[in-house]
């Protein structure tokens, strides 16, 4: 139960387009859509019928027997939650008969419930306690003697919440939340009758069970049976602030609930457009990093990276950076310095960094961490559709009939969206998974993919071309859509119809049976609504951009663009990847994806900024590294990104960073990159930030500060101060002024302001005069570029191939409990689920190498080697191994290569030829990594 | 070789457009480089293509000429 509970209407809303009907409840006339329950209709009329097992986020269950009502002309006392309204119905919710029945039911509940209401943790937040008062109990005829459940053991295995079965009333809300909302089905009611009890998996503890700790059960529990540990330890919160999660690209809305400045819990917001009341283990629980002892709160400088850090005040640090940057430019040229923005910071914080680079540094050497994840999305969708963004909102998946998931693992990477998707799959939508690894979505409770196409890493384009070949050659093209909405179709159709793109040929390349490719293509093309969702398994390849265009071709050819239930949808890794790209973080684009060579666009910025803007693109991150080594790039400002850990070919990155005259790191922690820095500027956690994040569905959400910056300075102020110290006038009183400037300069943000976001909750850009409340679905009438453009997508195999020396292909991914480089989640109890990165390897590959489950193994590529623990996994096909990259000691990027996407330089993380050998050796890289970790 | 990526990347870009007639492929690749590459990357490409001489892919050489740096 939340601090400030929304009015719970008891049962979910029916379809809003259902015909209306009118009934009378306690003499009040109420009109509702057909399919509405009596309980919901009553609540809408202001009459809250007592309930325990009902809540409007779950389907009606009808077990608690508290919501009984009488219907005139009807028999008995039906449960209002399971009774649908009928036209002309007359309902009475308060009669002597139902009052007496409710008292009797409540009496039975309390006869087997602890009597410690005064000291119980949720006092003031317990629905059972509240209802006992509402219903009224003149007598308590049953004592606590006899058989009861009051001595059952407490399960406190989970680090974030406790299950106390003595307080459980077996209402099944937790069980239903786990199934209906989260879609994991880890909980059940075990036993029958009096022996009924909530059980995690098969009688295991919550920690050992299949529970994913999303907390939906905790939120659903009407008593203290399932309770956040923070509430047990600290008591209920006293104030709440609505804000946005700082983890993945789903961008969930939360109510941060606090006592004073102490965060007690994060409660997902039911009105949040992205998550509608759901959350995952990271967003709901893993916020402890914000106050972790490793957090750095003071600016620090040092002349050499071998020196000890010197704590200084902000002015000293700012002036040090400004003077050093100016000196470098004087000695080595204007283009010798640059900056990197972060997808973990707000739009406003990103905007001021790129403005600092363009206006104060005087060049376009600004890039962002999207370079190493979704830059091909920006390129590919811009080329085909005309806009560098996904086409749908998350709700859209509820109308998809065929869902194709390519190179993404939503249940781990984007769990709240995955829950939406799983709900639709349980309703009957068909699923195609294209991934080398058998991810959970392929087969999990109540879900089974129609087709899993376990293609060889690096063959995405061959696969998408084969799918398109089937569409074109089997007459599955939506000609009406193509003729009306697209261009360059004929040339593309001729290309794709060539026999070299047939599934039979692709089978040889991808390893996927041709008949499965054909069947999957038919399924997608013939569905009423076909939707594509994809992740870094698409983009982080040498042909990442080609693959994005290939998916866009497929969607256009089948007419799956421009309405709900369809689209091409990138699942963004970090919460503000979309926003950081929108804000002009790329070296060739100003905010709003407008090229720096466009004189008219530049003129608008130059007029407002009062300075000239360079008309040629600046350096991308890999170019910065290369230029650092050749001496032409010597000063780098890094905002909230750990490039030393996250970027490929670690030894190359280290050599580059070590060669800089000035490396400035702005972050929460002394991360791996900071080990090589000369200046450390402490950043703010999402709890201290004031601004906006833009999620993967282009939804701009407010990030509201729940406490003052622990560092004494807002993060958006730092680049402003540096620019100011370098002689460029750049200051704002408030971050809303930054957004106002963004809106002035960026047509797709024209209608965005903090005031509008506060009024509407969130908006999806484009938000302008044509769409003042935003645009949930893009390209409805026309594509942003006018006609959708078919692009020829020639399959060019990567040069990174398995050889006799490196016979396996390593691919990488994320796990549910950890997040990217782990800087945040490693500093939370989430390490209980994932304490180290492991190498998943197929049994046959392990056997031929003498590797046993749990062995330490050495992974060697042509760029480096590292050591991981091996787990034998039937998720992997033979010849492919897999690891995560959440721990610096694992050094996953020590072995990844510097291959990259041809269009954007996005690294090819997903394909690295390696050899795996049992045992460990002492290797320079390991020693270096271990030493750094020890520090 | 620090500047190697420029030449390799130019070849990678060209590989995506080999289906086009040569003139069109050269224009497309040159335009891509103009749109996305920092001038010093273009300078590196010129230097590498020049030093590679006849070993440089003829179309990459034409791209470099087309860029006019």
């Amino acid at each position: 139960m939340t601090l400030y509970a929304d009015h719970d209407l008891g049962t979910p809303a029916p379809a809003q387009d259902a015909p209306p009907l009118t009934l009378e409840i306690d003499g009040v006339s109420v009109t509702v859509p057909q399919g509405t329950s009596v309980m919901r209709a009553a609540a809408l009329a202001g009459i809250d019928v007592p309930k325990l097992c009902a809540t409007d986020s779950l389907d009606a269950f009808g077990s608690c027997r508290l919501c009984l009502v009488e219907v005139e002309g009807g028999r008995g006392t039906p449960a209002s939650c399971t009774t649908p309204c009928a036209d002309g119905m007359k309902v009475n919710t308060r009669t002597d008969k139902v009052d007496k029945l409710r008292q009797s039911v409540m009496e039975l509940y309390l006869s087997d419930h602890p009597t410690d209401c005064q000291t119980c943790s949720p006092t003031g937040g317990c629905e059972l306690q509240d209802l006992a008062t509402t219903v009224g109990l003149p007598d308590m005829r049953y004592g606590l003697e006899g058989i009861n459940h009051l001595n059952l053991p407490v399960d406190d295995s989970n680090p974030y919440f406790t299950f106390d079965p003595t307080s459980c009333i077996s209402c099944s809300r937790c069980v239903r939340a786990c199934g209906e909302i989260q879609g994991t089905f880890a909980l059940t009611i075990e036993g029958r009758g009096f022996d009924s009890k909530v059980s995690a998996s098969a009688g295991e503890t919550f920690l050992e069970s299949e529970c994913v700790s999303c907390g939906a059960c905790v939120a659903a529990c009407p008593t203290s049976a399932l309770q956040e540990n923070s509430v047990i330890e600290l008591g209920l919160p006293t104030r709440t602030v609505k804000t946005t999660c700082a983890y993945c690209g789903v961008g969930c809305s939360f109510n941060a609930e606090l006592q004073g400045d102490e965060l007690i819990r994060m409660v997902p917001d039911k009105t949040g457009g992205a998550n509608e009341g759901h959350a995952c283990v990271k967003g709901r629980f893993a916020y402890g990093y914000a106050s972790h002892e490793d957090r750095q709160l003071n600016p620090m400088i040092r002349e050499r990276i071998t020196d000890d850090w010197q704590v200084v005040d902000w002015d000293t640090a700012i002036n040090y950076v400004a003077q050093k940057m100016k000196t470098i430019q004087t000695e080595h040229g204007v283009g010798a310095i640059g900056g990197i923005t972060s997808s973990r910071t707000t739009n406003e914080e990103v905007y001021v960094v790129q403005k600092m680079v363009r206006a104060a540094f005087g060049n376009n050497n600004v890039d962002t961490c999207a370079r190493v994840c979704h830059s091909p999305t920006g390129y590919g969708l811009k080329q085909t559709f005309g806009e560098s963004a996904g086409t749908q909102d998350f709700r859209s998946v509820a109308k998809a009939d065929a869902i194709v998931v390519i190179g993404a693992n939503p249940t781990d990477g984007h769990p709240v969206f995955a829950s939406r998707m799983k709900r639709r799959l349980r309703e009957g939508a068909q699923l195609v998974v294209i991934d080398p690894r058998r991810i959970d979505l392929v087969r999990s409770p109540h879900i089974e993919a129609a087709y899993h196409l376990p293609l060889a890493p690096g063959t995405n384009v061959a696969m998408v071309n084969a799918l398109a070949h089937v569409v074109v050659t089997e007459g599955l093209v939506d000609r009406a859509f193509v003729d009306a909405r697209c261009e360059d179709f004929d040339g593309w159709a001729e290309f794709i119809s060539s026999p070299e793109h047939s599934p039979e040929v692709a089978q040889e390349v991808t390893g996927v049976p041709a008949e499965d490719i054909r069947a999957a293509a038919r399924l997608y093309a013939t569905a009423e609504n076909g939707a594509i969702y994809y992740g870094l398994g698409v983009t982080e390849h040498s042909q990442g951009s080609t693959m994005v265009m290939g998916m866009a071709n497929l969607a256009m050819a089948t007419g799956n663009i421009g309405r709900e239930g369809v689209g091409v949808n990138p699942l963004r890794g970090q919460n503000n990847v979309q926003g950081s790209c929108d804000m002009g973080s790329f070296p060739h684009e100003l905010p709003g994806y407008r090229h720096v060579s466009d004189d008219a666009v530049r003129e608008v910025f130059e007029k407002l900024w009062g300075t000239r803007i360079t008309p040629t693109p600046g350096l991308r991150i890999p170019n910065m590294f290369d230029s650092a080594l050749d001496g032409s790039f010597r000063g780098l400002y890094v905002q909230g990104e750990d490039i030393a850990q996250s970027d490929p070919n670690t030894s190359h990155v280290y050599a580059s960073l070590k060669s800089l005259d000035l490396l400035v790191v702005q972050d929460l922690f002394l991360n791996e990159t900071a080990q090589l820095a000369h200046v450390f500027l402490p950043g703010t956690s999402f709890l201290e930030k004031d601004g906006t994040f833009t999620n993967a569905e282009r939804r701009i959400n407010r990030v509201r500060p729940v406490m003052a910056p622990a560092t004494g300075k807002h993060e958006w102020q730092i680049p402003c101060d540096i620019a100011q110290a370098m002689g460029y006038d750049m200051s704002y009183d408030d971050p809303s002024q930054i957004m106002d400037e963004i809106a002035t300069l960026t047509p797709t943000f024209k209608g965005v302001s903090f005031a509008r976001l506060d009024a509407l909750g969130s908006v999806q850009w484009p938000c302008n005069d044509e769409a003042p409340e935003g645009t949930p679905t893009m390209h409805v009438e026309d594509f942003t570029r006018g006609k959708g453009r078919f692009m020829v997508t020639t399959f060019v195999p990567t040069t990174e191939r398995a050889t006799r020396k490196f016979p396996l292909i390593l691919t990488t991914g994320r796990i549910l409990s950890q997040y990217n480089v782990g800087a945040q989640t490693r500093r939370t109890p989430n390490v209980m689920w994932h304490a180290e990165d492991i190498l998943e390897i197929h049994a046959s590959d392990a056997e031929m190498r003498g590797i046993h489950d749990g062995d330490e193994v050495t992974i060697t590529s042509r760029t480096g080697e590292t050591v991981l623990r091996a787990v034998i996994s039937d998720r992997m096909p033979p010849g492919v191994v897999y690891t995560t990259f959440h721990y610096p000691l694992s050094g996953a990027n020590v072995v990844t290569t510097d291959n990259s996407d041809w269009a954007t330089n996005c690294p090819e993380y997903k394909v690295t030829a390696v050899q795996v050998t049992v045992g460990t050796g002492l290797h320079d890289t390991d020693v270096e990594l271990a030493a750094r970790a020890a520090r | 070789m620090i500047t190697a990526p420029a030449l390799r990347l130019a070849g990678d870009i060209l590989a995506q457009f080999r289906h086009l007639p040569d003139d069109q492929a050269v224009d497309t690749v040159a335009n891509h480089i103009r749109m996305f590459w920092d001038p010093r990357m273009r300078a590196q490409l010129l230097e590498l293509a020049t030093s590679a001489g006849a070993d440089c892919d003829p179309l990459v050489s034409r791209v470099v000429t087309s860029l006019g740096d």
Side-chain angles (χ1 to χ4, degrees), chain A residues 25 30 37-49 93:
Chain A
I25 302 176
V30 54
S37 71
V38 168
M39 174 182 280
R40 185 179 179 90
L44 289 168
I47 301 163
D48 287 326
V49 181
T93 72

Side-chain angles (χ1 to χ4, degrees), chain A residues 555-708:
Chain A
M556 289 188 290
T558 53
N560 279 312
I561 287 289
R563 63 182 185 277
E564 289 185 297
V566 300
V568 179
N569 304 282
L571 296 173
R572 306 275 187 167
Q574 304 204 70
N575 59 331
N576 203 33
V577 176
Q578 183 69 58
S580 68
C581 299
D582 300 343
M583 292 299 103
S585 290
F586 288 130
H588 64 284
E589 285 174 335
L590 289 157
Y593 303 101
R594 286 162 301 158
H595 203 274
V596 293
S597 64
D598 187 323
D599 294 341
V601 170
R602 252 191 358 272
E603 189 181 332
V604 172
F605 281 83
E606 288 173 345
K607 194 171 176 183
L608 192 70
W609 289 359
T611 188
R612 295 291 306 277
I613 296 171
T614 308
T616 50
L619 294 168
R620 301 186 281 207
I621 291 173
N623 310 145
M624 291 180 187
F625 294 151
D626 294 336
S627 299
L629 286 173
D630 75 17
S632 66
F633 187 76
R634 308 176 82 96
L636 177 61
Y637 172 96
V638 182
Q639 176 196 38
E641 188 185 358
D642 193 0
I643 50 178
Q645 191 184 342
S646 64
D647 285 42
N649 195 352
T650 302
S651 64
H652 179 66
V653 175
Y654 267 70
S656 304
L657 297 180
K658 282 178 178 173
S659 68
L660 294 171
D661 295 339
L662 178 67
L663 176 59
V664 182
V665 169
Q666 182 175 316
D667 206 288
L668 299 180
F669 306 105
L670 282 171
N671 58 21
E672 298 305 299
T673 308
Q675 307 300 334
L676 307 172
H678 306 90
V679 178
F680 181 83
L681 303 175
T684 52
S685 78
F686 77 109
L687 298 171
E688 300 145 57
K689 290 186 186 298
D690 189 1
T692 57
F693 288 146
T694 306
N695 74 357
E697 49 171 1
R698 297 170 280 101
R699 185 183 302 280
I700 308 164
N701 269 311
R702 281 281 280 124
V703 186
R704 296 182 179 85
V706 303
M707 57 187 72

Side-chain angles (χ1 to χ4, degrees), chain A residues 335 543 546 588 595 617-620 623 626 629-630 632 792 794 898 902-903 905, chain B residues 2 5 8-9 12-13 15-17 19 32 34-41 44:
Chain A
Q543 280 201 293
T546 313
H588 64 284
H595 203 274
L619 294 168
R620 301 186 281 207
N623 310 145
D626 294 336
L629 286 173
D630 75 17
S632 66
V792 169
T794 306
D898 50 12
W902 63 271
N905 262 172
Chain B
I2 293 162
R8 189 194 70 209
L9 206 53
D12 289 349
I13 298 167
Q16 311 301 316
F17 299 104
H19 62 278
H32 180 93
R34 275 190 210 99
M35 293 292 281
F36 296 102
W37 284 28
D38 176 85
R40 78 191 78 176
M41 287 283 290
Q44 288 167 353

